[in-house]
Amino acid sequence: MSIDDLDSRLLVTMRANPRIGLTELARLLGVARGTVQARVEKLINRGVIADFGPTVTPEGVGYPILAFVSLQIAQGRLAEAVEALRPVPEILEVYGTSGQADLLCRVVARSTPDLQEIIARILASPAVQRTDTTIALSVQVPYRIEPLLQTAPNT
C-alpha cells in the first residue's frame, strides 16, 4: 500500500516535530483536527506508524560501540539460533539474510572487550557455526525516512 500526499506531509511533520499535538499538526497542515486524528489512527492501524516513544540512543545509555555481526547457522537450526540470540540484550536487531550469512545482527557494546564477550556468547550456541563482525566507526547517513515519504507515489 502506498500513502497519499496528506499522509506523507503528516508523517514528515510528525517526524520533524515528535512532540507536536494534533491541534498544532492540523494547523501546520491546514486541515481539521478531526482529519488529522482520523489519518493518524488509519496510519497506526495500517502499521505505518509503529510507535510514539522516545528514540533512545545506545551511546546515551553507555553503549558507544556499534557492530554488525553476520552469522552462519548450522543447516536446519535457524529457529534454535534465533532463540539463543533473544536473551542477549546487546543484540538490538536480527535480520534473516541471503548471501554468505544467514543472519545479520545489530549489536551494541560498552567496549571492544565487551563486544568480544558478546560474540563469545553468540558462538556458545551450537546452532551458530561462524560469525563475522564489522565495527561501525561513524554514521555517514543516519536513519531517515523523510526522503522516501516525500517521493512516495500517491494513491
Side-chain angles (χ1 to χ4, degrees):
M1 294 187 139
S2 59
I3 59 173
D4 65 20
D5 183 59
L6 178 57
D7 287 344
S8 177
R9 291 187 301 123
L10 175 97
L11 292 166
V12 169
T13 305
M14 289 176 74
R15 294 265 311 154
N17 305 281
R19 297 176 63 167
I20 196 168
L22 292 178
T23 303
E24 179 64 9
L25 190 54
R27 188 188 69 72
L28 288 174
L29 295 173
V31 297
R33 184 190 180 285
T35 300
V36 168
Q37 184 169 357
R39 292 292 184 115
V40 168
E41 287 176 15
K42 176 187 81 169
L43 292 168
I44 291 168
N45 292 335
R46 285 181 43 202
V48 175
I49 296 176
D51 65 54
F52 292 92
T55 300
V56 178
T57 63
E59 40 302 325
V61 292
Y63 292 85
I65 307 292
L66 171 63
F68 298 94
V69 182
S70 301
L71 281 62
Q72 290 180 357
I73 306 303
Q75 187 71 31
R77 298 179 83 174
L78 180 63
E80 179 185 344
V82 170
E83 285 308 309
L85 299 173
R86 285 188 197 284
V88 182
E90 296 89 351
I91 298 175
L92 302 181
E93 298 175 285
V94 179
Y95 295 92
T97 59
S98 63
Q100 294 289 322
D102 299 299
L103 296 175
L104 178 64
C105 304
R106 183 171 157 226
V107 178
V108 294
R110 293 184 182 276
S111 63
T112 52
D114 185 39
L115 179 60
Q116 187 172 8
E117 169 57 32
I118 295 163
I119 294 167
R121 281 190 280 163
I122 292 169
L123 284 166
S125 169
V128 178
Q129 290 184 322
R130 185 175 187 283
T131 65
D132 183 55
T133 303
T134 302
I135 296 175
L137 299 177
S138 64
V139 178
Q140 298 298 313
V141 178
Y143 176 82
R144 62 190 185 148
I145 194 137
E146 291 78 11
L148 183 67
L149 294 172
Q150 291 167 344
T151 62
N154 292 333
T155 55

